[in-house]
Structure formats: C-alpha cells, structure tokens
Amino acid sequence: MINLPFGSITDVPGITVGHHQRVGHGWQTGTTAIIVKSGATPGVDVRGGGPGTRETDAIHPQNLIQEIHGICLTGGSAYGLAAAHGVMEWLEGRGLGFPIGQMNGSPQVVPVVPAAVIFDLGRGGSPTNRPDSTFGRKAAAHARRSQQRWGSVGAGTGARAGGLQGGVGTASTTVRLPESDIEITVGALAVANPNGSVIDPTTGLPWEPSGARLRRPPADERRALIAALTGQAALNLNTTIGVVATSARLDKAETSKMASVAHDGLARAVRPAHSMTDGDTIFGLAVGDTELLSSGRHVALNVILKAASETFAAACTHAILAASTIGAAVAYSDVCPSIYRSSR
C-alpha cells in the first residue's frame, strides 16, 4: 500500500477522533466521535433527501448554542442516533457542555452533540444489531489526535459506496491568506456510504484523485469493478456524512457556509450525490485559534471555503482507498489492486 497524500482532520489543532465498531456474529456497524475539548463554533448543512440527524436546529446561526465539544457520526440509521447519548454522557463526565448553573454546589452542563447517521442496517446479518449509547461512549473515550486506522472502522464499518465497501476517510490542507503571512489549517472527515460511486467506472479511478498517484487498472479489473458497482450490494439506502474543520476563528454563519461549500467537494467526489435515498449532512467546526483580518475578510473566507471543498472531496476518496473488505461488499483495493503498483 502507498502513503497517500491526504493529511488528517486531526491536523486542525484541538480536534481528536475516536472509533468503536463491532464485526461478526450478525454485526457490521460502528460509531465515530469527533471531540474538541477546548470547544468549537459549530455549523451544519443538510442536503440529502433522507437525512437522519440530531441537534442540527440547535446549532443554526440564529439559535442559542455558540459552542460545542463533540459530534457523533454513526451507523444504525435512525436507531443509531442513540449513540450520540453516549458521547453526551462522556462529555458530561468531564464538565464539557452548555453551562446551566450550579446544582448541589457543582457546576452543571448539558452537552450539545450534533449527530448524523448512515444506513447500514442488516449489513452484518441482523438488522437489530446497531449502535447504542455504549458505542458513542467508547468512541469518545478512544478519541486521539494520532490516528493509525481509517477506512472500514467506526461509522464506516458497515458503509458501502455504490457496490464497494465504504469507510471513514480524512484529509487536510494548509492555506496562506492573501496579502498576509497568516496560515490556516482546514481538515475534513467523511463517512462514505453513498448511493452514487466514488469511482469512475470508465477509468477505474476515483472521480477526484486528490493528489493520489494511482495507476489505471487493467481491463479485467475494470470489468470486475463495473460488476461490483452494479451488483446487489449497491441496491440499498445510503448517505455520506462528515465534518469539515478549520483553525480559523469563524462565527456560526461562516462555519455553516464552510459546511455548505464542503458539499461541493462531496458532489465532485461522489456521482451522483444528494439523492432522495442519501441523507448527506456535513457539520462545520471552527476551533478559533486564528483570527481573520477584518479588512478583506470575505476574500480570506473564500480561500477557506475553497479548501473546505477540496479537503472534503479528498476525504471521500481516502475513505474508499483506505477501506478493507468485511462482508458482502468488496473493497476497491481488492477489486483493483493494480492501482498502487506504479507508486511504490
């Protein structure tokens, strides 16, 4: 396998990621938690026709909540929203959340944990095996900046991208703001479980290679790829969900705009996107370490928005490249192993 030039959402200071999953004995599902102990300004944009979400209204720009400490991305369809309660409990245990005053002499908080789900019911054999609060609590407890595993882990365990095994992918980039020495980090995490495909069936390569040096697979591998993309494994409900984060200090409207433009990256990497059977949802996080200059702020924001789109597209691609075969859906790297040979 090659070292892919994607980076990670954890390159944004303060962002940590944890996964928990179960595989086997009727299970193939999991949960991913994005934790920001120092807090972050939230945003969100929902584009899919069949979303499963929690707390999206609370973080809209016109509403009360200005800071959150965690996001839950999970399998289990609407049932999987229960995993967010586990992330909530974990944050409460550390005093992280919206302060509501004192009780018995101790400060009390209500953690606001936005969440989104993918459809993966029954992909391990039993549709009643799905994430609950223990998944969220364990994923949050595993959150680290250093990440060794991506692909078919956490919320990506039961994911499928068209007919291929899906997964969790990530990417990051650093941009310099115009006429300034200010550098901003933008990172993304995507759980790729789309109804559409991340791979162009004609070339056998990702629609958005995002800097990965891949070799076009030979004809026999492309035929196997087309069979996988059009097989029974592709005929299910789906959804791509994720997070885009930045080290810039943005307000809620700007952070939501960043999430909105990240959907452009999703639509470039996944074709088609935003269908009636996708619940495509992207959350935004601004950790607020770097202040933008008030002069020409819209120009600086455009640079960040472009990076958000590009990193989310790269995260979708990375999810498929990093995936491994678990159940009925085969991983792209197993169908087209030749893509890596010229890059060793």
Side-chain angles (χ1 to χ4, degrees), residues 54-55 68-72 83-85 87-89 91 111-115:
R54 163 180 162 149
E55 299 282 33
I68 63 172
H69 299 85
I71 290 174
C72 179
H85 186 70
V87 179
M88 192 177 180
E89 291 177 326
L91 292 170
V112 175
V113 180

Side-chain angles (χ1 to χ4, degrees), residues 33-46:
I34 297 87
I35 302 297
V36 194
K37 290 183 179 179
S38 58
T41 302
V44 66
D45 192 310
V46 181

